[in-house]
Amino acid sequence: MSAPIALSCGEPAGIGPETAAAAWERLRGGLPFFFIGDPAHLPKGTPIACITDPAAAIAASAHALPVLVHAFDGPLTPGVPNPAHATSVIDVIARGVDLVQSGAALALCTAPIHKQALQDGAGFVFPGHTEFLAHLAGVDRVVMMLASDRLRVVPTTIHIPLKEVPQALTPDLLEETLRITQAALIRDFGLSAPRMAIAGLNPHAGEGGKMGREEIEVIAPVLARLRAEGLDLRGPMSADTMFHAAARATYDAAICMYHDQALIPIKTLDFDRGVNVTLGLPFIRTSPDHGTALDIAGQDRANPTSLIEALKMAQLMGEARRR
């Protein structure tokens, strides 16, 4: 590897520290990464190598989990976020961004944060990780992708009520989503001519206007315009026929119109291996597709599979972008 992957600690009262330790145990030196956080938050007995230079993680990871120490104030109780930790959680994310932007880290992988804890403890004003990362990077628009070996999906609208989706689904939003996804598939996934399948908003993709006109008035004109530029776009398609095995073989990413239309298929197909990827940043960012799981934190029950997949995808995407 040209550089190791930075793993921000996320909410220390959640499952981030224990999944980090479990991921290192499985990967060892095969995929060097370093944990940014307080080593006292890691499970007891975890072999730790405290480092001051990310480059040291490549050699150290063969025998211990490399830790770039970021001390936290206040006690830690698994499952109970401490407001005193909020500022440090935010600072760790910013530190990870600095390292990946400087080239000291190949990519940034983020353990889950607890947004309410950050709001209560530090007045965190961002809806989540993604918006904060875009702010730190100085980027106006990013795109969320959920990806696994079996499927890549992108929701055009994300965390809004379903009744607000038709108004939010504008031609500009759809076009930006398609352009950012196209660029990322080429640059970060190594696809020279990516194929995208675009879902309709309504049942049966509107059925010629009988079940809604968004496909005719919003989606199809955008696709026609971008096809004229050379983008390989299929649709608008009926979402209920897009995700069986034969259909998935015909495209590289599915662009959906709202959150559940995108996330239900991938979580059904590959629940433990889905990875959250932020497209449109000037660096690679991945994250496991789960939350802080406060209810099982500290009980040695957390499954590290999604974090491992996020680290693997970060490595592949980071190396592809550097090439």
Side-chain angles (χ1 to χ4, degrees):
M1 290 179 68
S2 55
I5 295 164
L7 172 62
S8 59
C9 62
E11 170 53 57
I15 61 173
E18 60 194 276
T19 55
W24 171 80
E25 184 66 38
R26 291 194 194 178
L27 296 169
R28 300 276 174 145
L31 198 166
F33 70 93
F34 60 95
F35 179 82
I36 311 174
D38 196 323
H41 296 166
L42 293 162
K44 288 182 172 59
T46 302
I48 294 169
C50 292
I51 61 173
T52 56
D53 180 357
I58 294 177
S61 63
H63 58 83
L65 170 60
V67 178
L68 193 64
V69 178
H70 194 104
F72 278 56
D73 293 330
L76 174 70
T77 302
V80 184
N82 184 342
H85 292 163
T87 298
S88 292
V89 170
I90 295 166
D91 289 345
V92 163
I93 299 168
R95 192 174 178 186
V97 169
D98 287 343
L99 290 169
V100 74
Q101 288 192 307
S102 72
L106 179 68
L108 176 63
C109 184
T110 59
I113 57 173
H114 192 279
K115 292 183 283 291
Q116 187 65 51
L118 298 187
Q119 291 167 6
D120 293 345
F124 192 65
V125 297
F126 298 92
H129 242 133
T130 301
E131 294 82 3
F132 183 45
L133 292 168
H135 167 75
L136 292 173
V139 174
D140 292 329
R141 173 89 170 97
V142 293
V143 167
M144 182 176 85
M145 172 184 280
L146 275 293
S148 75
D149 289 342
R150 302 175 71 181
L151 180 64
R152 300 183 189 100
V153 293
V154 169
T156 302
T157 64
I158 308 177
H159 298 122
I160 61 174
L162 192 57
K163 68 180 180 180
E164 296 178 11
V165 169
Q167 290 72 39
L169 184 63
T170 64
D172 286 347
L173 177 65
L174 179 58
E175 180 174 341
E176 287 180 352
T177 301
L178 291 167
R179 289 190 185 279
I180 291 171
T181 304
Q182 166 89 355
L185 290 170
I186 294 170
R187 179 180 57 184
D188 301 330
F189 289 90
L191 300 173
S192 59
R195 306 162 300 167
M196 289 185 279
I198 293 80
L201 172 65
N202 298 294
H204 302 179
E207 202 167 284
K210 295 177 182 178
M211 296 187 185
R213 297 192 56 82
E214 286 81 4
E215 290 77 12
I216 295 170
E217 297 174 359
V218 178
I219 302 173
V222 172
L223 302 191
R225 186 165 62 252
L226 295 184
R227 284 192 193 104
E229 296 182 15
L231 277 69
D232 187 344
L233 307 174
R234 295 102 192 269
M237 302 171 64
S238 181
D240 65 350
T241 62
M242 284 179 58
F243 298 105
H244 60 87
R248 297 198 309 273
T250 66
Y251 59 80
D252 300 302
I255 312 301
C256 299
M257 297 302 109
Y258 55 92
H259 182 278
D260 285 11
Q261 191 183 56
L263 271 63
I264 287 173
I266 192 167
K267 292 193 175 189
T268 300
L269 286 167
D270 223 350
F271 186 81
D272 289 327
R273 296 183 182 277
V275 176
N276 188 334
V277 183
T278 304
L279 310 180
L281 291 169
F283 52 85
I284 299 298
R285 181 262 177 150
T286 67
S287 181
D289 184 27
H290 58 67
T292 54
L294 296 173
D295 57 322
I296 62 169
Q299 301 175 34
D300 196 28
R301 293 169 53 195
N303 185 347
T305 301
S306 186
L307 175 58
I308 291 169
E309 294 301 315
L311 289 164
K312 289 179 178 178
M313 189 166 291
Q315 179 188 29
L316 291 172
M317 293 176 68
E319 295 290 2
R321 182 174 289 201
R322 288 203 172 185
R323 286 195 295 271

